[in-house]
Amino acid sequence: MKVLLVEDEPVLGAAIKQTLKQEKYIVDWVLNGAHAWDCLEHQKTQYTLAIFDWLVPGISGLELLRRLRTCNNPLPVLMLTAKDRMEDKVMGLDAGADDYLVKPFGMEELLARLRALQRRSPHIQPEQLHVGRFILDYSTCTVSLQQANSIPQVISLTRKEFQVLEYFMKHPNQYVTRDQLLNYLYEMSAERTSNVVAAQIRLVRRKLSEYGCDNLIETVPGMGYRLNLNDAN
């Protein structure tokens, strides 16, 4: 899952990002509201959750929320703030926050609140994703192949390979560009080489071919890639 973190305090931001990465989240951390809105408005990537600090420079976390909800964007948002008055909490929730966490807080509580958002939001992925004969399980980060009259076989995938297949399974039979995959797989600050997407897809194809799925992910000239549903069934 990919998280947009908007936090201008360097120490706190670094601590949150490190904690989330340890829990296998992909984190884009920005220091001001203008940068955050640029990410959200132009849909440079697909975020699963967002964490907004109320008092960030430029566009405040509260204003980010209002803009987000005015655009009917349902992205689940956890608001961080030192404001602990009841009026402030009501203002944040009325602006569109899904939850509210007062500073200082423990990282375990932060993670627990994110898990709660995932459970109750209809826009977060389910525990499992089924496409054709493939079953993607988020609780174990595994992908299994259902064979006729037999126990599903777990396909050995690295974290990045899992994320590649996840993205295609979320967008079955759709054209997927290199940039879409790049933005989904890596943080904005990560060093990216020109052939990293092609290399990851090549690795996934190699793994899938071991299970007789040679043409599951096809290259579409001039468009990108596509999950071939005929070979997923």
Side-chain angles (χ1 to χ4, degrees), residues 192-211:
R192 306 174 180 188
T193 60
S194 60
N195 66 341
V196 65
V197 168
Q200 288 293 339
I201 289 179
R202 191 161 54 246
L203 291 170
V204 173
R205 282 172 170 162
R206 187 180 303 164
K207 295 282 183 70
L208 293 176
S209 68
E210 298 174 6
Y211 296 84

Side-chain angles (χ1 to χ4, degrees), residues 3 13 20 26 31 42 70 83 86 88 94 97 105 115 119-120 127 130 157 166-167 179-180 186 196 207 211-212 224:
V3 176
L20 294 181
I26 301 172
L31 300 172
H42 296 102
T70 298
K83 297 175 177 288
M86 180 58 67
D88 295 318
D94 283 347
F105 54 82
R115 289 193 295 270
R119 286 195 299 270
R120 67 175 179 257
E127 291 185 4
H130 295 251
L157 299 170
E166 173 197 18
Y167 194 85
D179 286 344
Q180 285 176 312
Y186 296 95
V196 65
K207 295 282 183 70
Y211 296 84

Side-chain angles (χ1 to χ4, degrees), residues 40 117 152:
L40 295 166
L117 281 181

Side-chain angles (χ1 to χ4, degrees), residues 125-184:
Q125 74 268 347
E127 291 185 4
Q128 290 187 336
L129 183 62
H130 295 251
V131 173
R133 294 186 294 125
F134 290 86
I135 305 168
L136 186 147
D137 193 313
Y138 285 101
S139 64
T140 59
C141 289
T142 58
V143 176
S144 302
L145 176 63
Q146 180 68 63
Q147 303 283 19
N149 302 318
S150 65
I151 298 174
Q153 292 180 282
V154 176
I155 302 173
S156 177
L157 299 170
T158 66
R159 183 68 184 179
K160 277 289 178 283
E161 291 165 356
F162 174 88
Q163 290 165 346
V164 168
L165 196 49
E166 173 197 18
Y167 194 85
F168 279 111
M169 290 176 68
K170 283 183 173 181
H171 302 84
N173 211 33
Q174 298 178 25
Y175 296 119
V176 174
T177 68
R178 169 188 171 276
D179 286 344
Q180 285 176 312
L181 281 167
L182 199 62
N183 289 329
Y184 186 74

Side-chain angles (χ1 to χ4, degrees), residues 3-226:
V3 176
L4 177 62
L5 170 62
V6 189
E7 174 57 67
D8 65 321
E9 295 181 31
V11 174
L12 178 58
I16 293 174
K17 180 174 181 177
Q18 181 61 30
T19 298
L20 294 181
K21 288 181 68 174
Q22 289 174 350
E23 296 297 316
K24 308 303 182 184
Y25 291 93
I26 301 172
V27 185
D28 280 348
W29 173 25
V30 298
L31 300 172
N32 61 73
H35 193 176
W37 183 243
D38 184 56
C39 293
L40 295 166
E41 184 181 29
H42 296 102
Q43 297 182 332
K44 292 181 178 179
T45 192
Q46 294 184 357
Y47 294 107
T48 309
L49 297 165
I51 303 172
F52 294 169
D53 186 358
W54 186 310
L55 298 175
V56 290
I59 304 172
S60 70
L62 190 67
E63 180 59 25
L64 277 176
L65 267 175
R66 288 171 174 158
R67 291 190 184 189
L68 204 62
R69 300 316 184 210
T70 298
C71 296
N72 296 317
N73 190 324
L75 179 69
V77 176
L78 172 63
M79 180 72 84
L80 304 180
T81 180
K83 297 175 177 288
D84 59 356
R85 298 184 309 164
M86 180 58 67
E87 308 93 279
D88 295 318
K89 293 181 181 180
V90 170
M91 186 184 302
L93 293 170
D94 283 347
D98 296 275
D99 202 356
Y100 194 103
L101 190 55
V102 177
K103 301 178 181 178
F105 54 82
M107 292 300 166
E108 287 301 320
E109 182 179 5
L110 173 70
L111 292 173
R113 288 178 181 268
L114 291 180
R115 289 193 295 270
L117 281 181
Q118 293 168 44
R119 286 195 299 270
R120 67 175 179 257
S121 173
H123 306 285
I124 304 296
Q125 74 268 347
E127 291 185 4
Q128 290 187 336
L129 183 62
H130 295 251
V131 173
R133 294 186 294 125
F134 290 86
I135 305 168
L136 186 147
D137 193 313
Y138 285 101
S139 64
T140 59
C141 289
T142 58
V143 176
S144 302
L145 176 63
Q146 180 68 63
Q147 303 283 19
N149 302 318
S150 65
I151 298 174
Q153 292 180 282
V154 176
I155 302 173
S156 177
L157 299 170
T158 66
R159 183 68 184 179
K160 277 289 178 283
E161 291 165 356
F162 174 88
Q163 290 165 346
V164 168
L165 196 49
E166 173 197 18
Y167 194 85
F168 279 111
M169 290 176 68
K170 283 183 173 181
H171 302 84
N173 211 33
Q174 298 178 25
Y175 296 119
V176 174
T177 68
R178 169 188 171 276
D179 286 344
Q180 285 176 312
L181 281 167
L182 199 62
N183 289 329
Y184 186 74
L185 295 173
Y186 296 95
E187 300 168 8
M188 290 186 298
S189 59
E191 183 177 349
R192 306 174 180 188
T193 60
S194 60
N195 66 341
V196 65
V197 168
Q200 288 293 339
I201 289 179
R202 191 161 54 246
L203 291 170
V204 173
R205 282 172 170 162
R206 187 180 303 164
K207 295 282 183 70
L208 293 176
S209 68
E210 298 174 6
Y211 296 84
C213 302
D214 299 284
N215 301 309
L216 181 65
I217 300 174
E218 61 181 11
T219 300
V220 183
M223 300 295 292
Y225 306 92
R226 183 174 62 181

